Amino acid sequence: MNELFSFEKTENYEAFNAFSENNGGSVYQTSMWASVKNAWNPYYYMGYEDGKEVLSCLCLERNIPVAGKLWYCPDGFVCDLKNSELIKEFASFIKKEMKKYGVFALACDPLLVKKLNGETVDNFEYSLSVFADAGFKVDGVKDFYTVQPATTVNVFLTNGEDRLTEEKILKKCEKGVRHGVRIGRDCGVKCEEYTIEDIDRNPSIADEFFSIMTETSDRVSFIQRDKSYYVNMLRSLGRYGVMDLLYYDIKGEKARAQSGIMEEKDLERFNSAMKELESAGVSPETEKIYIACGLTSYFGKTSICLYGGTRNVLRNTFRPTHLLNWIRICRSISRGCEVHDMGRITGDAYDESNPLYGLCRYKQSYAGTVTEYCGDIYLVNNSIGFFLFTKGLPFAKKMKNTVLKKMIKKRTVENS
């Protein structure tokens, strides 16, 4: 059989990332993300047709106890996912590489959209068949995933070829979001935008971010990272990453209240905020207090909300997450993104018994669309290793999360 394509391992990270950025890839499909996930060993592959780049693939390697070496390709491959010959030839090539490096299986979660708001996409079955015909195991277990769940909430920033304006998107948001954005804008909640260079000059920025994330973790019991993890992530993302800190301008709002120009409803909210800050032990001399934070990537056509959190104080008074997420969306529009990813959701997005059901509904309130991708598919090299992996990983994840949640609960008690 005459092969149409050629493939090679590469260390030209600049070309690798540029191809991903210019061909609809996500930040997860770059050397920058490999730097973030530094517990995994990265391999980079490029594909060519007549000397022209047509494919890029990041393989992250990790040793799975008992099973052996696993390769994981975040968001799958960057290429024309409907090109069956390209996928088939690359699968044949990468399987040889897997044998060479002693890898029992390659797991990937390509951005093949299965459902939008619960409705199956017309061409999904064909898209998945391209991978099945190339030898991938595509009948995975529901809710089993290697790294990230298959469901997210996307805010689409285009309508066909037309880009949507801030005004049009805000009109599509639910009333509560529009109200929250107005409260933040009109009542003294302001945003500071930071890069890694800013943090290197002033490390206290990262301290504030970490403090808010810790308070959020204690409140909702998600798994908290070390401060260095967030800083290293922003460093790895470089010009594609932004850290936001939202603060309440106490000094400015006091001046507005004393001047008599503040509207009555805003004055009532200001007085309520002052009482809340006093009850929380905040010094009357404090000029501003940071109340929300976010870490976002803006790469190519897609922006992704990586992390976000809020303090307990003033959280309900000013609803700072509404303004934070709206600022993120507006920045996505200004940077030319087509999709704003609000972040992955575990479990059934439509099951009210799902602990994250409320979070999913909240993300939808920003004119968001529940987007379900195909989930993990696998290219298997060693069936025994793959069996041990699929049986052992869910148990290991459960045990890890149980231990971490106990640690979070213990820290909450100690900090109370």
Side-chain angles (χ1 to χ4, degrees), residues 17 27 30-38 44 195-197 199-200 228-242 295-299 306:
N17 293 340
V27 73
T30 68
S31 66
M32 295 174 290
W33 195 249
S35 179
V36 173
K37 309 301 288 185
N38 54 22
Y44 305 89
T195 64
I196 187 60
E197 289 79 14
I199 292 175
D200 285 340
S228 60
Y229 179 84
Y230 300 114
V231 175
N232 290 338
M233 177 177 288
L234 192 61
R235 190 177 305 282
S236 297
L237 294 175
R239 64 188 177 92
Y240 301 103
V242 175
L295 184 56
T296 317
S297 71
Y298 300 87
F299 179 83
L306 299 169

Side-chain angles (χ1 to χ4, degrees), residues 209 212-213 216 222 292-295 305-310 321 324 328:
F209 181 93
I212 297 172
M213 290 301 298
T216 307
F222 71 75
C293 68
L295 184 56
C305 297
L306 299 169
Y307 288 98
T310 55
T321 55
L324 169 64
R328 287 165 141 178

Side-chain angles (χ1 to χ4, degrees), residues 237-296:
L237 294 175
R239 64 188 177 92
Y240 301 103
V242 175
M243 179 179 285
D244 288 307
L245 284 177
L246 268 65
Y247 68 92
Y248 179 52
D249 182 11
I250 301 173
K251 181 180 179 180
E253 290 305 287
K254 282 183 177 179
R256 281 213 312 136
Q258 292 169 359
S259 70
I261 64 173
M262 188 177 285
E263 293 184 12
E264 183 177 348
K265 58 183 177 180
D266 293 340
L267 183 59
E268 291 178 0
R269 196 176 297 275
F270 166 77
N271 290 330
S272 175
M274 291 301 101
K275 291 179 181 178
E276 188 175 349
L277 289 170
E278 182 180 0
S279 298
V282 177
S283 169
E285 304 303 317
T286 302
E287 295 188 354
K288 67 179 182 181
I289 181 172
Y290 290 100
I291 57 176
C293 68
L295 184 56
T296 317

Side-chain angles (χ1 to χ4, degrees), residues 115-169:
K115 294 180 179 180
L116 293 173
N117 283 340
E119 298 293 326
T120 301
V121 174
D122 291 339
N123 63 354
F124 172 71
E125 292 299 331
Y126 168 76
S127 299
L128 196 60
S129 72
V130 170
F131 284 85
D133 292 343
F136 282 83
K137 179 179 176 61
V138 300
D139 53 343
V141 179
K142 182 176 174 60
D143 294 333
F144 176 85
Y145 56 92
T146 305
V147 174
Q148 61 180 352
T151 303
T152 192
V153 176
N154 284 326
V155 180
F156 294 106
L157 307 177
T158 62
N159 183 11
E161 296 182 356
D162 297 327
R163 292 190 176 277
L164 299 178
T165 63
E166 293 180 13
E167 182 182 9
K168 287 183 178 179
I169 293 176

Side-chain angles (χ1 to χ4, degrees), residues 344-386:
R344 300 286 173 128
I345 298 289
T346 57
D348 189 338
Y350 305 99
D351 182 1
E352 294 186 20
S353 65
N354 178 7
L356 294 182
Y357 175 81
L359 177 61
C360 185
R361 297 282 81 78
Y362 169 76
K363 292 181 178 183
Q364 279 186 281
S365 67
Y366 293 87
T369 300
V370 177
T371 306
E372 183 180 344
Y373 298 108
C374 70
D376 282 10
I377 62 176
Y378 306 94
L379 196 61
V380 180
N381 178 48
N382 183 305
S383 58
I384 296 176
F386 181 69

